[in-house]
Amino acid sequence: MTYVSPLGGDILLVQVSDAGSPGTYTHPCLINTDRSLEMSANATATELADCADQSAPAKIVRRVKSTDIKVSGAGVLDATSVLAFMQWLLAGTSKDVKIKQNTTGALGGWTITGAFILTAFNITGRRGDYQEVSRTLEHADVPALAANA
């Protein structure tokens, strides 16, 4: 028998650069429970007629017009991290980010590196509970994807 090789949710890291040269990338403590990576393609579809028999059904061909990467994270609010994220969103600037499957390439590890903008930042709280935070980053330019060493 051969079983699936699972990876723990906590090794999917979202590391944000401190903007130094060279930048130091750290995984913010705000992302301490949930994280998700969404990759999508915007495609266009065209119907091509059968020239030999125009009454026959056409075939559909598709082409990718653009690609998109979003990464989201959530967790219990880390009070020391909140102000920096709020300032980032309000500044409307991009930051260098690494999204990592933090294991070796032989075990399925990879890294996406590129400029991302913070497009959503939410804080929620209920009486008697701790505040929670969620945020979404979207790529601002073409990111690079590489297998980890």
Side-chain angles (χ1 to χ4, degrees):
M1 252 186 219
T2 303
Y3 293 97
V4 68
S5 299
L7 296 172
D10 57 338
I11 67 165
L12 179 59
L13 301 179
V14 181
Q15 299 176 319
V16 180
S17 174
D18 66 359
S21 181
T24 301
Y25 290 85
T26 56
H27 179 81
C29 196
L30 282 174
I31 305 168
N32 54 53
T33 57
D34 299 324
R35 51 211 82 190
S36 75
L37 172 65
E38 177 186 334
M39 299 175 75
S40 60
N42 181 16
T44 183
T46 303
E47 292 183 5
L48 299 179
D50 181 346
C51 291
D53 181 3
Q54 299 220 351
S55 65
K59 72 175 184 176
I60 295 177
V61 294
R62 290 182 175 83
R63 294 179 56 163
V64 173
K65 291 172 48 174
S66 61
T67 58
D68 192 26
I69 296 177
K70 295 179 185 177
V71 62
S72 299
V76 175
L77 182 135
D78 174 43
T80 62
S81 303
V82 171
L83 182 60
F85 274 84
M86 293 170 78
Q87 290 170 330
W88 178 14
L89 185 130
L90 293 175
T93 58
S94 66
K95 288 192 177 196
D96 291 332
V97 172
K98 289 185 179 182
I99 306 162
K100 295 180 78 167
Q101 190 71 282
N102 197 24
T103 188
T104 66
L107 295 175
W110 45 262
T111 301
I112 296 170
T113 305
F116 283 74
I117 56 174
L118 181 60
T119 59
F121 186 79
N122 302 297
I123 299 172
T124 59
R126 297 175 112 177
R127 186 180 57 80
D129 289 337
Y130 291 109
Q131 292 181 24
E132 294 186 357
V133 65
S134 65
R135 54 105 197 104
T136 301
L137 303 174
E138 298 185 46
H139 77 88
D141 202 347
V142 178
L145 170 64
N148 293 345

